[in-house]
Amino acid sequence: AFVKKKAKKDAAVTLQRHVRGLIIRKWIQSIEQEKYQQQCASKIQACVRGLICSTICKKKRTKKEFYNKVVPSAIMIQAYYRAFYLRRKFIHRKLWWACAVRIQMSFRYHRAQWLVRN
């Protein structure tokens, strides 16, 4: 009778030990799964943040490239046009001045001839 009681008690303890081990293993597995999910979520978030940051940096870089390439080009074009315009204006004024001098010379010549005749 004592042996049967001890065997039943040992069987109950063994069963409890196995059940408690199973419960603990499932609990640890759920905790590990939560950690794994959190790690996966943080990796996904990091990837998305990196993608967003890289697109922002690309936009800023393209803006810098635009200002470093296009804006100086536009400034050069404006400078060349202004120089061309001023040269043309200067040549036009130079021609106008030459014409005015020629007209004045002709007028003075004719006036001098008229003064000499009269």
Side-chain angles (χ1 to χ4, degrees):
F2 180 74
V3 175
K4 283 186 176 181
K5 216 177 189 187
K6 187 168 178 152
K8 284 183 181 179
K9 187 177 178 185
D10 286 344
V13 169
T14 305
L15 184 63
Q16 287 175 354
R17 188 177 63 219
H18 286 292
V19 170
R20 286 181 183 146
L22 180 68
I23 290 171
I24 292 293
R25 279 193 296 277
K26 282 192 174 191
W27 180 70
I28 289 172
Q29 188 179 12
S30 69
I31 288 175
E32 287 176 352
Q33 190 173 5
E34 283 181 28
K35 284 183 182 179
Y36 179 73
Q37 286 177 349
Q38 286 176 352
Q39 287 174 349
C40 290
S42 65
K43 285 183 182 179
I44 291 170
Q45 289 172 353
C47 289
V48 169
R49 288 182 185 132
L51 182 66
I52 290 170
C53 185
S54 68
T55 53
I56 289 171
C57 289
K58 281 181 185 177
K59 285 181 181 179
K60 286 183 179 180
R61 197 174 323 128
T62 54
K63 275 187 178 180
K64 280 186 179 179
E65 288 174 1
F66 175 77
Y67 284 119
N68 289 340
K69 291 180 182 176
V70 175
V71 172
S73 301
I75 291 171
M76 279 181 49
I77 291 169
Q78 290 172 355
Y80 283 129
Y81 177 75
R82 288 183 187 129
F84 166 76
Y85 178 75
L86 287 175
R87 277 194 299 272
R88 197 173 78 192
K89 193 174 176 182
F90 177 73
I91 290 171
H92 181 70
R93 282 193 179 172
K94 192 174 177 182
L95 289 174
W96 184 81
W97 181 76
C99 291
V101 168
R102 186 166 283 174
I103 291 169
Q104 288 172 0
M105 284 174 40
S106 296
F107 176 76
R108 290 180 185 146
Y109 175 75
H110 287 295
R111 189 176 74 181
Q113 279 187 346
W114 182 77
L115 287 174
V116 169
R117 284 186 200 155
N118 290 336

PDB file of all heavy atoms in Angstrom, residues 2-21:
ATOM      1  N   PHE A   2       1.951   1.228   0.793  1.00  0.00           N
ATOM      2  CA  PHE A   2       2.840   2.384   0.844  1.00  0.00           C
ATOM      3  C   PHE A   2       3.557   2.585  -0.498  1.00  0.00           C
ATOM      4  O   PHE A   2       3.750   3.706  -0.939  1.00  0.00           O
ATOM      5  CB  PHE A   2       3.844   2.201   1.984  1.00  0.00           C
ATOM      6  CG  PHE A   2       4.797   3.344   2.108  1.00  0.00           C
ATOM      7  CD1 PHE A   2       4.382   4.552   2.635  1.00  0.00           C
ATOM      8  CD2 PHE A   2       6.114   3.220   1.690  1.00  0.00           C
ATOM      9  CE1 PHE A   2       5.257   5.602   2.744  1.00  0.00           C
ATOM     10  CE2 PHE A   2       6.989   4.276   1.799  1.00  0.00           C
ATOM     11  CZ  PHE A   2       6.568   5.462   2.330  1.00  0.00           C
ATOM     12  N   VAL A   3       3.893   1.494  -1.132  1.00  0.00           N
ATOM     13  CA  VAL A   3       4.590   1.558  -2.413  1.00  0.00           C
ATOM     14  C   VAL A   3       3.652   2.099  -3.471  1.00  0.00           C
ATOM     15  O   VAL A   3       4.056   2.916  -4.309  1.00  0.00           O
ATOM     16  CB  VAL A   3       5.128   0.151  -2.793  1.00  0.00           C
ATOM     17  CG1 VAL A   3       5.756   0.168  -4.164  1.00  0.00           C
ATOM     18  CG2 VAL A   3       6.124  -0.322  -1.772  1.00  0.00           C
ATOM     19  N   LYS A   4       2.388   1.663  -3.442  1.00  0.00           N
ATOM     20  CA  LYS A   4       1.423   2.164  -4.415  1.00  0.00           C
ATOM     21  C   LYS A   4       1.190   3.655  -4.219  1.00  0.00           C
ATOM     22  O   LYS A   4       1.083   4.411  -5.182  1.00  0.00           O
ATOM     23  CB  LYS A   4       0.101   1.410  -4.299  1.00  0.00           C
ATOM     24  CG  LYS A   4       0.120   0.046  -4.906  1.00  0.00           C
ATOM     25  CD  LYS A   4      -1.273  -0.507  -4.858  1.00  0.00           C
ATOM     26  CE  LYS A   4      -1.311  -1.862  -5.558  1.00  0.00           C
ATOM     27  NZ  LYS A   4      -2.631  -2.430  -5.563  1.00  0.00           N
ATOM     28  N   LYS A   5       1.113   4.088  -2.948  1.00  0.00           N
ATOM     29  CA  LYS A   5       0.907   5.495  -2.645  1.00  0.00           C
ATOM     30  C   LYS A   5       2.090   6.316  -3.134  1.00  0.00           C
ATOM     31  O   LYS A   5       1.936   7.373  -3.739  1.00  0.00           O
ATOM     32  CB  LYS A   5       0.736   5.657  -1.132  1.00  0.00           C
ATOM     33  CG  LYS A   5      -0.236   6.683  -0.732  1.00  0.00           C
ATOM     34  CD  LYS A   5      -0.349   6.677   0.786  1.00  0.00           C
ATOM     35  CE  LYS A   5      -1.478   7.535   1.196  1.00  0.00           C
ATOM     36  NZ  LYS A   5      -1.546   7.692   2.629  1.00  0.00           N
ATOM     37  N   LYS A   6       3.310   5.806  -2.894  1.00  0.00           N
ATOM     38  CA  LYS A   6       4.504   6.504  -3.329  1.00  0.00           C
ATOM     39  C   LYS A   6       4.578   6.540  -4.849  1.00  0.00           C
ATOM     40  O   LYS A   6       4.950   7.560  -5.440  1.00  0.00           O
ATOM     41  CB  LYS A   6       5.745   5.838  -2.754  1.00  0.00           C
ATOM     42  CG  LYS A   6       6.979   6.622  -3.052  1.00  0.00           C
ATOM     43  CD  LYS A   6       8.141   6.118  -2.245  1.00  0.00           C
ATOM     44  CE  LYS A   6       9.278   6.918  -2.659  1.00  0.00           C
ATOM     45  NZ  LYS A   6      10.314   7.302  -2.174  1.00  0.00           N
ATOM     46  N   ALA A   7       4.189   5.482  -5.514  1.00  0.00           N
ATOM     47  CA  ALA A   7       4.213   5.432  -6.975  1.00  0.00           C
ATOM     48  C   ALA A   7       3.216   6.435  -7.556  1.00  0.00           C
ATOM     49  O   ALA A   7       3.497   7.131  -8.544  1.00  0.00           O
ATOM     50  CB  ALA A   7       3.924   4.019  -7.459  1.00  0.00           C
ATOM     51  N   LYS A   8       2.023   6.505  -6.925  1.00  0.00           N
ATOM     52  CA  LYS A   8       1.023   7.474  -7.381  1.00  0.00           C
ATOM     53  C   LYS A   8       1.531   8.896  -7.170  1.00  0.00           C
ATOM     54  O   LYS A   8       1.383   9.759  -8.043  1.00  0.00           O
ATOM     55  CB  LYS A   8      -0.302   7.279  -6.632  1.00  0.00           C
ATOM     56  CG  LYS A   8      -1.098   6.111  -7.087  1.00  0.00           C
ATOM     57  CD  LYS A   8      -2.415   6.070  -6.312  1.00  0.00           C
ATOM     58  CE  LYS A   8      -3.233   4.883  -6.735  1.00  0.00           C
ATOM     59  NZ  LYS A   8      -4.491   4.802  -6.010  1.00  0.00           N
ATOM     60  N   LYS A   9       2.171   9.123  -6.007  1.00  0.00           N
ATOM     61  CA  LYS A   9       2.696  10.463  -5.716  1.00  0.00           C
ATOM     62  C   LYS A   9       3.799  10.811  -6.702  1.00  0.00           C
ATOM     63  O   LYS A   9       3.837  11.928  -7.251  1.00  0.00           O
ATOM     64  CB  LYS A   9       3.224  10.526  -4.286  1.00  0.00           C
ATOM     65  CG  LYS A   9       3.629  11.899  -3.859  1.00  0.00           C
ATOM     66  CD  LYS A   9       4.073  11.913  -2.413  1.00  0.00           C
ATOM     67  CE  LYS A   9       4.509  13.297  -2.042  1.00  0.00           C
ATOM     68  NZ  LYS A   9       5.061  13.381  -0.709  1.00  0.00           N
ATOM     69  N   ASP A  10       4.711   9.866  -6.981  1.00  0.00           N
ATOM     70  CA  ASP A  10       5.789  10.105  -7.946  1.00  0.00           C
ATOM     71  C   ASP A  10       5.221  10.352  -9.349  1.00  0.00           C
ATOM     72  O   ASP A  10       5.694  11.209 -10.081  1.00  0.00           O
ATOM     73  CB  ASP A  10       6.744   8.905  -7.972  1.00  0.00           C
ATOM     74  CG  ASP A  10       7.626   8.850  -6.731  1.00  0.00           C
ATOM     75  OD1 ASP A  10       7.710   9.884  -6.031  1.00  0.00           O
ATOM     76  OD2 ASP A  10       8.226   7.798  -6.484  1.00  0.00           O
ATOM     77  N   ALA A  11       4.167   9.596  -9.672  1.00  0.00           N
ATOM     78  CA  ALA A  11       3.545   9.773 -10.988  1.00  0.00           C
ATOM     79  C   ALA A  11       2.904  11.159 -11.088  1.00  0.00           C
ATOM     80  O   ALA A  11       3.020  11.857 -12.107  1.00  0.00           O
ATOM     81  CB  ALA A  11       2.518   8.687 -11.238  1.00  0.00           C
ATOM     82  N   ALA A  12       2.242  11.583 -10.001  1.00  0.00           N
ATOM     83  CA  ALA A  12       1.613  12.905  -9.980  1.00  0.00           C
ATOM     84  C   ALA A  12       2.672  14.000 -10.071  1.00  0.00           C
ATOM     85  O   ALA A  12       2.514  14.985 -10.808  1.00  0.00           O
ATOM     86  CB  ALA A  12       0.768  13.069  -8.723  1.00  0.00           C
ATOM     87  N   VAL A  13       3.773  13.839  -9.340  1.00  0.00           N
ATOM     88  CA  VAL A  13       4.858  14.829  -9.370  1.00  0.00           C
ATOM     89  C   VAL A  13       5.480  14.876 -10.760  1.00  0.00           C
ATOM     90  O   VAL A  13       5.749  15.957 -11.306  1.00  0.00           O
ATOM     91  CB  VAL A  13       5.913  14.503  -8.283  1.00  0.00           C
ATOM     92  CG1 VAL A  13       7.167  15.355  -8.472  1.00  0.00           C
ATOM     93  CG2 VAL A  13       5.338  14.729  -6.906  1.00  0.00           C
ATOM     94  N   THR A  14       5.696  13.721 -11.365  1.00  0.00           N
ATOM     95  CA  THR A  14       6.269  13.668 -12.714  1.00  0.00           C
ATOM     96  C   THR A  14       5.327  14.326 -13.708  1.00  0.00           C
ATOM     97  O   THR A  14       5.752  15.111 -14.571  1.00  0.00           O
ATOM     98  CB  THR A  14       6.542  12.200 -13.125  1.00  0.00           C
ATOM     99  OG1 THR A  14       7.369  11.582 -12.138  1.00  0.00           O
ATOM    100  CG2 THR A  14       7.213  12.137 -14.462  1.00  0.00           C
ATOM    101  N   LEU A  15       4.033  14.019 -13.597  1.00  0.00           N
ATOM    102  CA  LEU A  15       3.041  14.624 -14.491  1.00  0.00           C
ATOM    103  C   LEU A  15       3.010  16.149 -14.306  1.00  0.00           C
ATOM    104  O   LEU A  15       3.004  16.908 -15.284  1.00  0.00           O
ATOM    105  CB  LEU A  15       1.663  14.010 -14.225  1.00  0.00           C
ATOM    106  CG  LEU A  15       0.539  14.461 -15.147  1.00  0.00           C
ATOM    107  CD1 LEU A  15       0.836  14.035 -16.582  1.00  0.00           C
ATOM    108  CD2 LEU A  15      -0.783  13.903 -14.685  1.00  0.00           C
ATOM    109  N   GLN A  16       3.003  16.582 -13.037  1.00  0.00           N
ATOM    110  CA  GLN A  16       3.015  18.024 -12.774  1.00  0.00           C
ATOM    111  C   GLN A  16       4.286  18.682 -13.340  1.00  0.00           C
ATOM    112  O   GLN A  16       4.240  19.768 -13.918  1.00  0.00           O
ATOM    113  CB  GLN A  16       2.924  18.285 -11.264  1.00  0.00           C
ATOM    114  CG  GLN A  16       1.570  18.020 -10.665  1.00  0.00           C
ATOM    115  CD  GLN A  16       1.582  18.179  -9.150  1.00  0.00           C
ATOM    116  OE1 GLN A  16       2.628  18.380  -8.531  1.00  0.00           O
ATOM    117  NE2 GLN A  16       0.399  18.054  -8.545  1.00  0.00           N
ATOM    118  N   ARG A  17       5.435  17.977 -13.154  1.00  0.00           N
ATOM    119  CA  ARG A  17       6.694  18.508 -13.653  1.00  0.00           C
ATOM    120  C   ARG A  17       6.639  18.672 -15.182  1.00  0.00           C
ATOM    121  O   ARG A  17       7.035  19.703 -15.714  1.00  0.00           O
ATOM    122  CB  ARG A  17       7.831  17.579 -13.240  1.00  0.00           C
ATOM    123  CG  ARG A  17       9.194  18.162 -13.555  1.00  0.00           C
ATOM    124  CD  ARG A  17      10.334  17.286 -13.076  1.00  0.00           C
ATOM    125  NE  ARG A  17      10.282  16.012 -13.783  1.00  0.00           N
ATOM    126  CZ  ARG A  17      10.530  14.826 -13.225  1.00  0.00           C
ATOM    127  NH1 ARG A  17      10.830  14.730 -11.945  1.00  0.00           N
ATOM    128  NH2 ARG A  17      10.475  13.714 -13.933  1.00  0.00           N
ATOM    129  N   HIS A  18       6.115  17.673 -15.866  1.00  0.00           N
ATOM    130  CA  HIS A  18       6.021  17.749 -17.325  1.00  0.00           C
ATOM    131  C   HIS A  18       5.047  18.837 -17.778  1.00  0.00           C
ATOM    132  O   HIS A  18       5.318  19.586 -18.722  1.00  0.00           O
ATOM    133  CB  HIS A  18       5.617  16.390 -17.904  1.00  0.00           C
ATOM    134  CG  HIS A  18       6.717  15.376 -17.882  1.00  0.00           C
ATOM    135  ND1 HIS A  18       7.836  15.483 -18.661  1.00  0.00           N
ATOM    136  CD2 HIS A  18       6.874  14.241 -17.138  1.00  0.00           C
ATOM    137  CE1 HIS A  18       8.638  14.457 -18.423  1.00  0.00           C
ATOM    138  NE2 HIS A  18       8.070  13.679 -17.499  1.00  0.00           N
ATOM    139  N   VAL A  19       3.919  18.933 -17.082  1.00  0.00           N
ATOM    140  CA  VAL A  19       2.914  19.952 -17.439  1.00  0.00           C
ATOM    141  C   VAL A  19       3.480  21.353 -17.189  1.00  0.00           C
ATOM    142  O   VAL A  19       3.358  22.250 -18.027  1.00  0.00           O
ATOM    143  CB  VAL A  19       1.593  19.721 -16.677  1.00  0.00           C
ATOM    144  CG1 VAL A  19       0.657  20.906 -16.850  1.00  0.00           C
ATOM    145  CG2 VAL A  19       0.928  18.455 -17.156  1.00  0.00           C
ATOM    146  N   ARG A  20       4.136  21.523 -16.012  1.00  0.00           N
ATOM    147  CA  ARG A  20       4.723  22.832 -15.706  1.00  0.00           C
ATOM    148  C   ARG A  20       5.828  23.171 -16.712  1.00  0.00           C
ATOM    149  O   ARG A  20       5.948  24.318 -17.154  1.00  0.00           O
ATOM    150  CB  ARG A  20       5.270  22.854 -14.286  1.00  0.00           C
ATOM    151  CG  ARG A  20       4.181  22.913 -13.244  1.00  0.00           C
ATOM    152  CD  ARG A  20       4.739  22.952 -11.852  1.00  0.00           C
ATOM    153  NE  ARG A  20       3.652  22.931 -10.869  1.00  0.00           N
ATOM    154  CZ  ARG A  20       3.720  22.345  -9.698  1.00  0.00           C
ATOM    155  NH1 ARG A  20       4.820  21.715  -9.325  1.00  0.00           N
ATOM    156  NH2 ARG A  20       2.700  22.388  -8.888  1.00  0.00           N
ATOM    157  N   GLY A  21       6.649  22.183 -17.088  1.00  0.00           N
ATOM    158  CA  GLY A  21       7.691  22.399 -18.096  1.00  0.00           C
ATOM    159  C   GLY A  21       7.095  22.810 -19.430  1.00  0.00           C
ATOM    160  O   GLY A  21       7.581  23.721 -20.107  1.00  0.00           O
TER     161      GLY A  21
END
